[in-house]
Every structure is written in C-alpha cells, then in structure tokens.
C-alpha cells in the first residue's frame, strides 16, 4: 500500500496581505515558514518515508517542500518541479486585494469568480507585463498553453495529465509520494482521486501547511485519509 501526502504551501506574503496570487511568484511569510517547518516535524513524528517529491515552479511551494523534507530528514530524495502543479491562474485579478476587488465588482461577482467550478475570472492579456508569457520558467511551453486565467475545471484539466504520467505510476509501484503545491491544484487532485462532484468540491478547503495523508491500494483507491495537525 502506497502513501500519498499533499501539503498546501505555508502562508505566503500575499495570503497575509489578502491579495489574489495565482501564478505570481511570491515568497512565504514568516508564519508560512513556521507552518512548513511544522509540517516537517509532523511528518517525522508520523515516520513516513518518501521515495519521490513533486512541487510546482513557484517559490512558496518549493520552499514549503524543502522545509518539510528537511524537517523529516529527507531533503535528499528525488524532486520534480512542474508548472502543471501551479496554483490556479487568477487572470486579471492577480495582485489585487480581495476586499478591494469586491468593492469594484461586487461581493457576489467576486465570489462567483473565486468559488465557481467552471466560471473564468477576467482574463489577463498575453501582452500584459504581468503575463506568465514573459517569465523565463515557462519559455519551453507552447504559448497557447500559458493561461490568461483559469477556473478549477481548467486547473484540473492541466493537473491530471501530470498525475497520470508521473505520479500515479510511482504510486502503483508502491512508492510513497509527497506533493507540495497550492490550494487549487491540490483541490483538483483531491477531486480526482476521491471522485468528488463538481458541486461538493467547492466546499473543500486545503489548510496551509497541514499535511494530508492518503493510504492508497494498488488500484489507487483511497483506503484511508488523515490530516496531520
């Protein structure tokens, strides 16, 4: 039986300032560092030994992974970074304060953009200086693959190929896997492996810095789920 651990990155500087972050590369806050270090201590206490680690290409997730692995004495294990594990792209909302956005567009509209499964936010033009098209870490991608904005449905569609090609085969082989990523990319994976409906996934939250541990059988069915805190 394989173990799969999800960790949403610790609190980021923009979580702290209540800004839409998405693909913008911001750092962990001091509290976020503490949360990530605590995750490592929890994993060490649990005695989970990992064979492979995965994370996004965004600093807050990468550092969370490293703190967690260091705290559990496993910083040496193989690690793969992929843009497919990035946070949901919040389009033109990125960088805006959430409360100010609600004042500008209305609470109801912002709520729909944040919580709807298949409604896109206002899109960010590829020519905008804040577009990921200008970021060197995505230079290898087809420009059409770089989003101007995503909902959870689109996030799921880009995450699942990585799950099927990279993560699932290792779990089937019995390897223990840790994935340090983001609230929405992990919610997308959670929806997929737990077969959660489009409606019910909107009520699922991923707490920052708290490891979620799955035991999976050889068919990747969930045998048990446990949150460490």
């Amino acid at each position: 039986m394989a173990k799969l651990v999800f960790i949403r990155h610790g609190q980021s500087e923009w979580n702290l300032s209540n800004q839409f972050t998405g693909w913008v590369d911001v750092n962990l806050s001091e509290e976020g560092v503490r949360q990530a270090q605590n995750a490592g201590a929890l994993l060490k206490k649990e005695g989970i030994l990992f064979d492979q680690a995965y994370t996004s290409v965004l600093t807050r997730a990468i550092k969370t992974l490293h703190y967690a692995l260091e705290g559990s004495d496993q910083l040496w294990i193989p690690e793969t970074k992929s843009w497919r594990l990035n946070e949901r792209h919040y389009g033109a909302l990125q960088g805006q304060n959430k409360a100010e956005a609600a004042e500008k567009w209305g609470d109801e509209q912002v709520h729909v953009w944040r919580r709807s499964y298949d409604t896109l936010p206002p899109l960010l033009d590829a020519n905008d200086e804040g577009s990921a098209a200008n970021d060197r870490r995505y230079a290898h991608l087809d420009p059409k693959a770089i989003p101007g904005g995503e909902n959870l449905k689109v996030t799921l569609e880009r995450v699942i190929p990585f799950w099927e090609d990279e993560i699932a085969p290792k779990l089937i082989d019995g390897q223990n896997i840790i994935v340090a990523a983001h609230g929405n990319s992990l919610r997308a994976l959670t929806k997929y492996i737990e077969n959660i409906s489009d409606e019910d996934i909107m009520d699922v939250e991923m707490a920052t810095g708290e490891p979620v541990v799955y035991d999976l059988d050889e068919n990747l069915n969930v045998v048990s789920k446990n949150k460490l805190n």
Side-chain angles (χ1 to χ4, degrees), residues 23-36:
W23 282 31
V24 179
D25 194 25
V26 301
N27 213 333
L28 294 174
S29 67
E30 290 184 7
E31 174 64 12
V33 171
R34 187 197 66 77
Q35 290 173 341

Side-chain angles (χ1 to χ4, degrees), residues 97-170:
N97 180 276
K98 294 176 183 177
E100 292 175 357
E103 289 180 7
K104 181 177 181 180
W105 285 293
D107 288 333
E108 183 175 350
Q109 179 62 74
V110 172
H111 179 76
V112 169
W113 285 333
R114 292 184 65 187
R115 304 306 299 174
S116 171
Y117 178 66
D118 56 6
T119 301
L120 289 169
L123 300 183
L124 188 67
D125 191 273
N127 295 319
D128 189 286
E129 63 179 6
S131 171
N134 301 317
D135 193 321
R136 188 167 68 90
R137 77 193 77 191
Y138 308 112
H140 65 290
L141 298 179
D142 183 332
K144 295 179 181 178
I146 299 175
E150 296 175 307
N151 49 42
L152 187 60
K153 180 177 183 291
V154 175
T155 305
L156 176 69
E157 289 169 353
R158 70 155 153 89
V159 168
I160 294 312
F162 188 76
W163 166 267
E164 292 179 338
D165 294 342
E166 297 286 339
I167 302 177
K170 289 184 170 57

Side-chain angles (χ1 to χ4, degrees), residues 11 36 48 57 60 62 72 75 87 91 117 121 129 149 151 154 157 166 174 176 186 196 207-208 221 224:
Q11 182 192 68
I48 302 174
V57 295
R60 58 196 186 273
I62 296 168
S72 60
L75 192 56
E87 175 59 297
Y117 178 66
E129 63 179 6
N151 49 42
V154 175
E157 289 169 353
E166 297 286 339
N176 291 341
L186 291 178
I196 299 172
T208 52
N221 297 310
S224 66

